[in-house]
Amino acid sequence: MLEAFFCALLKEINFLFTNSNYFCARSSLWYYYHFVKMLKFVSAVILFTSSWSISPVKTDVAKEAGFRQVYARENITLHERPIVNRYGVDVREVKAVFTARSSSAVVVEMLRNADKGIQWNIGAGAYDVLNNEKHTWVTYIEYDLPWPLNDHDAVLRHSLVEKGNIIEVAIESVDDVLPLKKGAERMEQVQGKWTIRSLGFDVVEISYQVSTKPSAVPRLITDPIVHYQMTKSMSALRELLEQTTI
């Protein structure tokens, strides 16, 4: 459709230029008619391309109280805010937001696919999916973290709810599914969610927000690692999504 607009515009411009000697000899009304016609084409192109290119990247992050942007890379933004988790502990919630050319159904299938999970979870040494049902599943993830952090693992229950063009997948840590692996530190008090919103034109907005029990390691050390790994993981997820046929 966009191509048709430009073709019509170029055709009209070409007509005016190739017939310049002709229309100069005619009345000003003739010239005014074709000039206005060309302007209408230009206006139509501007309106169409503006609505097509801007609307898919709109986000609702700013509407959520307390979030502030702390990092941006590869068209992915990271936001943080302080919250009190459901355990009554003051924690920091981190949120990544990006868009991808995919569908909500493909995103959900990617989240519950163990073979794909190990590919997009940067730093993960293992990624398994357990109790895989339609609206709930459990993932087990091992993270190989750089010094001075210890390797971590996490057992996370996912619960899916559909709300119109939005799919939310709530995440919470569970401790009664798998025993702690020797040498690893279990991630505790994990809570968060995936939010997948269809924007049309085969584009989805994806946000992933999560909080965990505060670490004893200073944020000066952990923040660069968290920001890097989350951004690279979301980038890898987007790449896999856009390689998958809708």
Side-chain angles (χ1 to χ4, degrees):
M1 189 174 181
L2 183 59
E3 183 180 357
F5 272 119
F6 279 110
C7 287
L9 173 60
L10 291 173
K11 182 178 179 181
E12 187 66 20
I13 294 173
N14 181 65
F15 177 82
L16 288 175
F17 277 96
T18 55
N19 292 276
S20 58
N21 293 332
Y22 175 70
F23 70 69
C24 283
R26 295 176 64 89
S27 68
S28 60
L29 183 61
W30 186 94
Y31 175 80
Y32 177 80
Y33 169 78
H34 283 280
F35 183 73
V36 170
K37 190 176 178 182
M38 184 174 69
L39 287 180
K40 286 182 178 179
F41 276 116
V42 174
S43 299
V45 171
I46 293 173
L47 287 172
F48 180 81
T49 55
S50 296
S51 62
W52 184 80
S53 61
I54 294 175
S55 59
V57 297
K58 289 175 65 179
T59 70
D60 291 326
V61 174
K63 296 179 181 179
E64 296 194 52
F67 271 117
R68 64 182 182 90
Q69 183 174 319
V70 295
Y71 191 75
R73 182 176 178 175
E74 301 180 35
N75 291 321
I76 299 165
T77 57
L78 296 187
H79 310 257
E80 295 180 354
R81 68 177 176 182
I83 63 170
V84 178
N85 67 16
R86 64 189 182 91
Y87 303 95
V89 178
D90 292 325
V91 298
R92 176 181 51 147
E93 185 176 44
V94 183
K95 180 174 186 175
V97 182
F98 61 100
T99 59
R101 293 204 169 275
S102 187
S103 69
S104 299
V106 171
V107 177
V108 171
E109 287 307 310
M110 191 71 69
L111 296 180
R112 63 201 307 166
N113 186 312
D115 293 334
K116 299 294 185 182
I118 193 67
Q119 295 180 46
W120 65 262
N121 268 276
I122 304 301
Y127 190 101
D128 295 318
V129 179
L130 315 170
N131 305 332
N132 199 345
E133 300 179 5
K134 184 177 181 180
H135 292 100
T136 61
W137 65 94
V138 174
T139 58
Y140 172 75
I141 311 172
E142 292 179 12
Y143 291 102
D144 300 324
L145 299 179
W147 184 90
L149 304 179
N150 295 324
D151 290 347
H152 284 62
D153 73 358
V155 184
L156 306 173
R157 177 181 289 116
H158 297 67
S159 304
L160 183 151
V161 176
E162 295 186 48
K163 302 176 180 179
N165 69 328
I166 298 175
I167 293 178
E168 288 189 355
V169 181
I171 306 167
E172 62 177 342
S173 55
V174 289
D175 299 322
D176 57 350
V177 177
L178 290 173
L180 178 63
K181 184 177 180 180
K182 185 177 180 180
E185 184 177 332
R186 178 65 49 87
M187 295 176 66
E188 299 178 317
Q189 299 183 11
V190 180
Q191 65 179 49
K193 65 179 178 178
W194 291 90
T195 303
I196 308 153
R197 183 163 65 100
S198 175
L199 301 177
F201 300 101
D202 293 329
V203 176
V204 290
E205 179 191 81
I206 302 169
S207 70
Y208 170 65
Q209 59 195 82
V210 65
S211 64
T212 64
K213 183 178 179 179
S215 172
V217 181
R219 286 184 55 182
L220 181 65
I221 297 174
T222 61
D223 276 5
I225 298 173
V226 170
H227 294 167
Y228 174 81
Q229 290 200 311
M230 181 174 282
T231 303
K232 296 301 290 184
S233 293
M234 297 301 106
S235 179
L237 173 59
R238 179 174 57 198
E239 183 176 351
L240 285 175
L241 288 170
E242 295 186 342
Q243 292 173 354
T244 303
T245 303
I246 298 177

